[in-house]
Amino acid sequence: MATKTITVDQLIAEYAEPIAGEVGYDPADYDATAQGLATLLRDVANELSSMDQTSEWLQDAAADLDAIARLGDDGPKAQKLLKRIDSTLYEAKSDLELC
């Protein structure tokens, strides 16, 4: 069975708009790169309570995206990080939609 490959572009397409929209940000104002997504996530996290679990998830995903910006988004280490980011952003998006 083939393993699903995740890219930064896929993460941006799936998560940037719904997460940014929860606090009134426009993802088009950010670069469509790992670093741009990390900055967007940090900005959204800053709008949330620092005690909020969603804020922590966004900060964690942003830190992992910083590593992806350095590593690139190919290779086994990067894929492991991208899968973790995907899971984290899924949880954050779901939590924000419940609010």
Side-chain angles (χ1 to χ4, degrees):
M1 184 169 119
T3 307
K4 177 183 171 191
T5 300
I6 298 173
T7 66
V8 171
D9 290 339
Q10 290 170 324
L11 295 173
I12 291 168
E14 187 165 347
Y15 299 110
E17 190 171 316
I19 288 174
E22 289 296 324
V23 294
Y25 287 0
D26 183 353
D29 293 339
Y30 297 84
D31 292 336
T33 62
Q35 197 61 53
L37 182 56
T39 301
L40 171 64
L41 297 177
R42 283 191 185 92
D43 288 351
V44 172
N46 288 336
E47 294 294 323
L48 304 173
S49 167
S50 62
M51 300 300 287
D52 187 349
Q53 177 64 52
T54 305
S55 176
E56 289 182 35
W57 284 328
L58 295 176
Q59 293 286 1
D60 290 347
D64 286 343
L65 281 161
D66 289 339
I68 292 297
R70 291 188 303 274
L71 291 172
D73 66 356
D74 57 349
K77 285 183 181 180
Q79 278 304 301
K80 185 175 180 179
L81 271 176
L82 287 165
K83 287 176 185 172
R84 185 167 71 190
I85 294 165
D86 185 42
S87 295
T88 302
L89 291 179
Y90 176 84
E91 293 297 331
K93 177 184 162 200
S94 297
D95 196 53
L96 285 168
E97 289 173 345
L98 292 174
C99 295

